[in-house]
Amino acid sequence: SNSLHYCNLRTGEWTKLVTTGHPPTPQYGQAMVIKFPYLYVIGGTTGFDYSLDVHRLHLLDLVWEPLCSEQQLGARYRHEIAHHGD
């Protein structure tokens, strides 16, 4: 899926966010990191194809934006990512 949900930790309530723009391809095994005001989603697989696609979601207006696309060469699946500085 490429749906995005969040959980209110105080109430335990889950909510599906309605986003616009160009979301990532539905896949799994991608890495995610938040550098406010963005959520970055990187790589993953559909089960057949692997990617190193990079998308970001602007957390204030919930608009997806593709940043780059890389198929096969350099693709990543079940990897880790961290944010450090800028």
Side-chain angles (χ1 to χ4, degrees), residues 3-4 6 36 39 46 53 58 65 73 81-83:
S3 298
L4 184 63
Y6 77 91
F36 195 78
L39 165 72
T46 63
D53 295 352
H58 191 271
E65 173 185 12
L73 182 65
I81 188 168
H83 171 263

Side-chain angles (χ1 to χ4, degrees), residues 9-58:
L9 296 178
R10 289 193 178 111
T11 66
E13 179 182 336
W14 283 88
T15 303
K16 181 178 179 181
L17 297 176
V18 176
T19 62
T20 60
H22 302 281
T25 301
Q27 52 187 350
Y28 60 93
Q30 61 275 68
M32 297 189 300
V33 67
I34 292 176
K35 173 156 177 15
F36 195 78
Y38 294 103
L39 165 72
Y40 292 86
V41 177
I42 302 159
T45 182
T46 63
F48 300 100
D49 296 315
Y50 296 82
S51 77
L52 188 57
D53 295 352
V54 180
H55 287 75
R56 71 180 181 185
L57 176 69
H58 191 271

Side-chain angles (χ1 to χ4, degrees), residues 55-76:
H55 287 75
R56 71 180 181 185
L57 176 69
H58 191 271
L59 295 170
L60 301 177
D61 61 14
L62 299 178
V63 176
W64 282 106
E65 173 185 12
L67 298 181
C68 68
S69 179
E70 179 70 39
Q71 295 296 326
Q72 297 304 320
L73 182 65
R76 298 289 182 265

